[in-house]
Amino acid sequence: MKKIKHVKNNMLRGDGNATKALLIDVAGKLIAEQGYEKTTSKNICERAKANSAAINYHFGSHEGLYVAVLEEVHRYLLNIKDLQEIEEKNISAKEKLVQFLDTFILNVWKKECWQIKVWARELMNPSPFIAKILSENAIPKFNVVVKIFSEYTGLSKNNPKLYSCILSTMAPFALTFLVRRNNTEVIKLLPVRYSEEDLIEDLKAFALKGIEVFCQK
């Protein structure tokens, strides 16, 4: 009996890292399509052609897999290493801020992938796991962003105005992102023809000018 159990466990393990990555990818795509509530472990394992016990084996539970999906979403959309590289570059404070905005726009606005759709769903209908994801993944990234904005504005990290500045800068991008990901094309709502590229550049220019004016107050 022990020998049979040993063989079964080996079959379950397979290539552990590859299986985990596959389950995260399949789960992410299903959740992007139909939402977390409608995505079952059975659905995921069937599409991944994985052992029915694979999710519990690798993630502990269905909920554990979803947390892993959200962690992958954060890693994919805005990698903390990319932010740290920008913050540590030997360039002007304005160039750092522009590079951050370009990276944010490229990763969060332009990418067409399941990670974007999952995050949009999570923001519109937060799960019980969002606090964990924010504290362990978003906050460390936000701290790097704070350094970039602090250097450009000259505002101390202890100054509440710095955080007003950050939120005011990011809000238009976040709003248009959410509207766009809920199958509404912002451009079509406008009474004039306006390319998405022009909208992005204008939002960025408005953000930079807004920061400049804000810092003069």
Side-chain angles (χ1 to χ4, degrees):
M1 291 296 292
K2 288 183 179 180
K3 185 176 181 180
I4 294 174
K5 185 177 181 180
H6 178 69
V7 171
K8 185 177 180 180
N9 283 341
N10 279 343
M11 290 174 66
L12 184 61
R13 287 191 185 92
D15 184 343
N17 290 334
T19 301
K20 286 181 70 174
L22 176 62
L23 289 170
I24 290 172
D25 186 65
V26 170
K29 289 174 180 175
L30 283 171
I31 293 166
E33 291 171 13
Q34 58 194 27
Y36 172 67
E37 297 296 335
K38 294 181 180 179
T39 302
T40 66
S41 294
K42 182 180 179 182
N43 296 152
I44 296 166
C45 289
E46 285 179 351
R47 183 175 290 194
K49 294 181 172 57
N51 187 294
S52 59
I55 290 176
N56 285 343
Y57 180 81
H58 289 290
F59 303 98
S61 65
H62 182 69
E63 292 78 10
L65 172 57
Y66 185 53
V67 170
V69 167
L70 292 178
E71 289 173 342
E72 167 60 16
V73 166
H74 252 275
R75 184 202 64 77
Y76 183 84
L77 296 183
L78 200 57
N79 196 309
I80 191 169
K81 290 183 179 179
D82 294 337
L83 292 177
Q84 289 170 335
E85 284 181 8
I86 293 172
E87 193 272 325
E88 294 169 0
K89 280 184 177 179
N90 186 26
I91 56 178
S92 71
K94 183 175 182 179
E95 287 175 310
K96 290 181 183 181
L97 182 58
V98 170
Q99 284 194 16
F100 160 68
L101 290 175
D102 285 340
T103 300
F104 178 80
I105 292 166
L106 177 65
N107 290 356
V108 176
W109 186 299
K110 292 185 176 181
K111 282 185 177 178
E112 294 293 339
C113 56
W114 65 258
Q115 288 90 342
I116 286 281
K117 294 177 182 178
V118 168
W119 190 236
R121 283 183 177 276
E122 181 65 22
L123 291 179
M124 296 299 290
N125 185 26
S127 71
F129 316 111
I130 193 167
K132 173 181 172 63
I133 296 302
L134 291 178
S135 63
E136 296 181 3
N137 294 270
I139 297 301
K141 296 175 189 178
F142 183 70
N143 289 336
V144 180
V145 173
V146 167
K147 291 181 181 179
I148 293 172
F149 273 80
S150 177
E151 182 179 351
Y152 179 67
T153 62
L155 296 171
S156 163
K157 297 173 188 176
N158 297 320
N159 190 331
K161 288 186 176 181
L162 176 63
Y163 301 93
S164 296
C165 181
I166 295 172
L167 293 175
S168 298
T169 301
M170 305 311 299
F173 297 104
L175 178 60
T176 48
F177 160 73
L178 287 176
V179 172
R180 189 169 180 261
R181 295 303 161 182
N182 280 278
N183 299 318
T184 302
E185 293 186 39
V186 179
I187 302 300
K188 291 184 178 180
L189 300 177
L190 301 176
V192 295
R193 289 190 176 183
Y194 200 20
S195 73
E196 192 169 86
E197 289 73 18
D198 287 340
L199 175 60
I200 291 172
E201 288 304 312
D202 286 348
L203 284 175
K204 190 166 66 174
F206 184 82
L208 292 171
K209 190 63 178 178
I211 295 172
E212 181 184 327
V213 173
F214 183 83
C215 291
Q216 292 173 355
K217 291 174 62 178

